[in-house]
């Protein structure tokens, strides 16, 4: 059988990685896919990259500057979109679909924001949009959630799905440094981008979490409903106190099924230091899935980089190639559930989320302070799990008071916090972090 013909848009890190993996492992890939997978056309706006590519492959494969020519090329079966961002990626993907081509993309932002439109267009045209590389790079978590765990009712997912922030948190904890210092170092080493906003503010993780949540619970992708909180205001002091109490702080993406809806939230989270996921260090990613039949499973690996991400792109190419001639209704649905079996379960407001808390209060060191604070918690039916008070230095008139609570509803905690903050003996804004046992 003739090879399937791929049009590659974008010759950046992942595009080049995809080219190399396809070339190096072509015999195995052909054996698995049932036919060859051949890059037939490349679109790259960056002239230097295009020239470097031509130097390797010669003139046999056309390299165009305008991707519109690629998505309109009738000889292309699958378009691989690796340029990222919303436009022109969205228009190119929709055009490729309209032209009856399958699409493989690593673009989490595009699918988290415009997934409903793109998947609907693909269904109408009977083509596939595959996106394994969009979540946790080389970890086959989309495959696991959509196919491997298909027997299960998924209860929750918690993931370290941004390598940049995990690297920064590992360095802050390991070296006792503050956020700004470590961010600069991460930028120098190439772990963080010159504009690191999407990573450090949790946006990248929330894009990925939104996709996992949709697949796990059969709901539409709803990035606008996600709670997004990053690590830029996290203080080294809190990492240290958490450690004293037996916890590590990780930027987690958490999505959980509740009776009244679905939690969808990214924020720094205390987790017991003994959990496997608490020990995922540096730029690595990991995802824990809790499901009713299998129990807990953990997926670990590289969440970024040329070949780890290419591994996921090529896996999608093989999947699409295998199913290219199949009846579209017999392919694996984009979001795991058949379109008519999707659910309208709402995404919960943060005030409705159930979680435990870490609170750090700077308080006057005088009689009755602790009792007033614990009274407010008791009045809000919030149960204390642990308390730690820093021993004051000689002559010091204030101290840090750390409180860990049991699970409560976030709205109730916010009401209690407002009361505590109003006490004259609470001397600074209270630090509130969430804590999950992941049991
Ligand atoms: N910037 C991401 C990370 C990788 O740091 O994990 C691509 O999503």
């Amino acid at each position: 059988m003739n090879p399937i013909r791929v049009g590659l848009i974008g010759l950046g890190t992942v595009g080049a990685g995809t080219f190399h993996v396809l070339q190096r492992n072509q015999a195995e890939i052909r054996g698995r896919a049932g036919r060859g997978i051949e890059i037939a056309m490349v679109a790259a706006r960056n002239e230097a990259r295009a020239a470097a590519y031509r130097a390797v492959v010669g003139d046999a494969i056309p390299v165009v500057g305008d991707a519109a020519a690629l998505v309109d090329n009738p000889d292309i079966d699958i378009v691989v979109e690796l340029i990222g961002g919303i436009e022109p990626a969205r228009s190119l993907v929709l055009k490729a679909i309209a032209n009856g081509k399958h699409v493989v993309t690593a673009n989490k932002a595009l699918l988290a924001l415009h997934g409903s439109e793109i998947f609907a267009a693909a269904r109408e045209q009977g083509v596939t949009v595959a996106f394994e590389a969009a979540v946790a790079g080389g970890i086959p978590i989309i495959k696991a959630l959509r196919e491997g765990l298909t027997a299960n009712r998924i209860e929750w997912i918690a993931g370290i799905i941004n390598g940049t922030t995990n690297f920064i948190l590992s360095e802050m904890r390991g070296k006792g440094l503050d956020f700004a210092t470590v961010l600069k170092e991460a930028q120098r080493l190439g772990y963080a981008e010159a504009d690191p906003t999407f990573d450090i503010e949790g946006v990248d993780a929330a894009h990925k979490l939104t996709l996992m949540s949709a697949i796990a619970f059969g709901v539409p992708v709803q990035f606008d409903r996600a709670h997004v909180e990053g690590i830029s205001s996290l203080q080294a002091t809190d990492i240290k106190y958490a450690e004293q109490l037996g916890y590590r702080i990780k930027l987690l993406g958490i999505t959980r099924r509740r009776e009244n809806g679905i939690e969808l939230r990214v924020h720094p989270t205390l987790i017991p230091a003994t959990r496997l996921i608490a020990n995922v260090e540096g730029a690595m990613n990991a995802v824990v899935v809790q499901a009713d039949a299998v129990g807990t499973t953990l997926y670990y690996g590289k969440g970024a980089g040329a070949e780890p991400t290419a591994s996921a792109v090529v896996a999608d190419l093989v999947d699409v190639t295998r199913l290219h001639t199949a009846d579209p209704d017999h392919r694996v649905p984009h979001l795991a559930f058949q379109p008519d079996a999707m659910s309208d379960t709402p995404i919960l407001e943060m005030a409705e989320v159930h979680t435990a808390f870490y609170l750090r209060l700077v308080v006057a060191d005088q009689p009755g302070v602790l009792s007033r604070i614990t009274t407010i918690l008791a009045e809000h039916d919030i149960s204390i799990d642990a308390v730690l008070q820093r021993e004051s230095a000689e002559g010091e008139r204030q101290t840090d008071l750390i409180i860990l609570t049991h699970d409560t509803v976030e709205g109730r905690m916010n009401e209690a916090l407002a009361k505590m903050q109003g006490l004259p003996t609470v001397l600074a804004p209270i630090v509130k972090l969430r804590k999950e046992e992941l049991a």
Side-chain angles (χ1 to χ4, degrees):
M1 197 185 271
N2 288 338
I4 201 156
R5 293 166 66 83
V6 173
L8 180 64
I9 306 178
L11 269 184
T13 309
V14 181
T18 300
F19 171 76
H20 288 302
V21 171
L22 273 177
Q23 198 176 48
R24 190 173 67 239
N25 297 341
Q26 56 182 293
E28 266 128 320
I29 290 167
R30 189 186 312 110
R32 289 177 177 137
R35 59 194 282 200
I37 297 176
E38 175 186 289
I39 295 182
M41 192 175 198
V42 172
R45 276 205 298 215
N46 182 311
E47 250 316 308
R49 285 179 187 161
Y53 186 77
R54 276 195 204 97
V56 176
V57 300
D59 291 328
I61 302 171
V63 183
V64 295
D66 180 10
L70 186 151
V71 297
D72 282 336
N73 181 342
D75 292 335
I76 300 291
D77 302 303
I78 310 174
V79 169
V80 177
E81 182 274 302
L82 298 175
I83 50 176
I86 304 299
E87 284 297 350
R90 175 179 160 274
S91 302
L92 290 167
V93 163
L94 288 170
K95 191 73 199 298
I97 292 169
N99 287 338
K101 299 179 195 313
H102 303 289
V103 172
V104 172
T105 177
N107 194 333
K108 59 227 91 178
L110 177 64
L111 294 181
L113 272 72
H114 298 281
S116 296
E117 176 191 25
I118 289 169
F119 296 136
R123 267 198 312 278
E124 198 148 301
Q125 288 295 324
V127 296
T128 297
V129 175
F131 55 95
E132 184 64 70
V135 182
I139 304 174
I141 188 64
I142 299 298
K143 190 85 169 172
L145 289 169
R146 199 161 52 183
E147 298 177 54
L149 298 177
T150 202
N152 290 263
R153 184 173 163 85
I154 293 174
E155 290 159 10
W156 54 260
I157 299 173
I160 295 172
I161 43 181
N162 182 269
T164 306
T165 43
N166 203 51
F167 174 83
I168 293 173
L169 292 176
S170 294
E171 292 287 294
M172 285 176 75
R173 187 179 72 82
K175 299 181 178 164
L177 295 172
D178 64 27
F179 172 79
T181 307
V182 176
L183 174 61
K184 275 201 200 102
E185 181 66 357
Q187 285 172 316
R188 196 182 63 77
L189 294 171
Y191 284 107
E193 311 226 6
D195 178 0
T197 314
F198 263 36
D199 290 320
I200 63 174
E201 299 305 346
V203 179
D204 174 75
H207 288 151
K208 296 166 182 166
L209 181 71
T210 300
L211 293 172
M212 290 198 290
S213 180
I215 291 174
F217 303 123
V219 293
V221 283
Q222 298 164 77
F223 173 71
D224 58 332
R225 301 284 302 146
H227 173 83
V228 188
E229 203 178 309
I231 62 166
S232 57
S233 53
L234 190 67
Q235 296 179 42
T237 314
D238 296 305
I239 294 179
K240 196 184 72 197
Y241 281 133
E243 184 118 55
Q244 285 176 27
L245 289 157
Y247 290 84
R248 300 259 165 92
I249 300 181
K250 294 289 184 187
L251 183 70
L252 285 193
I254 299 170
T255 186
R256 180 181 268 125
R257 189 199 294 273
R258 295 277 180 200
E259 256 173 35
N260 52 342
I262 292 165
E263 297 180 358
L264 185 62
R265 49 192 171 105
V266 171
H267 49 69
T269 314
L270 277 78
I271 46 178
T274 49
R275 297 277 178 267
L276 281 173
I277 193 169
N279 294 281
V280 171
E281 299 290 8
M284 299 304 281
N285 281 201
V287 180
V288 181
V289 182
Q290 180 70 33
D292 68 341
V294 71
T296 310
T297 51
L298 170 69
Y299 308 83
Y300 169 85
K302 288 186 178 159
E307 294 214 358
T309 313
S311 165
V313 170
V314 175
D316 276 348
L317 284 172
V318 171
D319 259 1
V320 172
T321 303
R322 285 170 174 155
L323 294 171
H324 180 53
T325 53
D327 172 355
D329 288 342
H330 295 155
R331 298 193 189 123
V332 180
H334 294 115
L335 295 178
F337 288 75
Q338 300 296 341
D340 61 0
M342 296 284 287
S343 154
D344 58 2
T345 309
I347 306 294
L348 296 171
E349 297 290 338
M350 271 312 274
E352 299 171 286
V353 156
H354 282 251
T355 186
F357 289 91
Y358 161 104
L359 308 175
R360 174 165 59 84
L361 300 89
V362 180
V363 292
D365 196 3
Q366 63 191 49
V369 170
L370 182 58
S371 104
R372 273 191 285 277
I373 289 165
T374 56
T375 301
I376 292 173
L377 288 170
E379 282 167 359
H380 288 80
D381 204 22
I382 296 171
S383 173
I384 293 171
D385 186 24
V387 177
L388 175 72
Q389 184 178 319
R390 179 175 60 77
E391 199 177 348
S392 313
E394 187 70 33
E396 202 184 5
R397 304 170 70 113
Q398 66 177 52
T399 187
D400 294 341
L401 181 63
I402 319 300
I403 299 174
L404 298 184
T405 75
H406 288 292
D407 270 13
T408 183
V409 180
E410 176 135 351
R412 197 182 297 162
M413 174 52 81
N414 290 344
E415 282 169 23
L417 273 177
K419 289 240 169 76
M420 288 186 222
Q421 195 67 73
L423 293 173
T425 46
V426 173
L427 307 175
I430 300 170
V431 172
K432 173 187 91 173
L433 295 169
R434 300 169 188 91
K435 173 173 91 66
E436 294 283 340
E437 291 299 318
L438 302 182

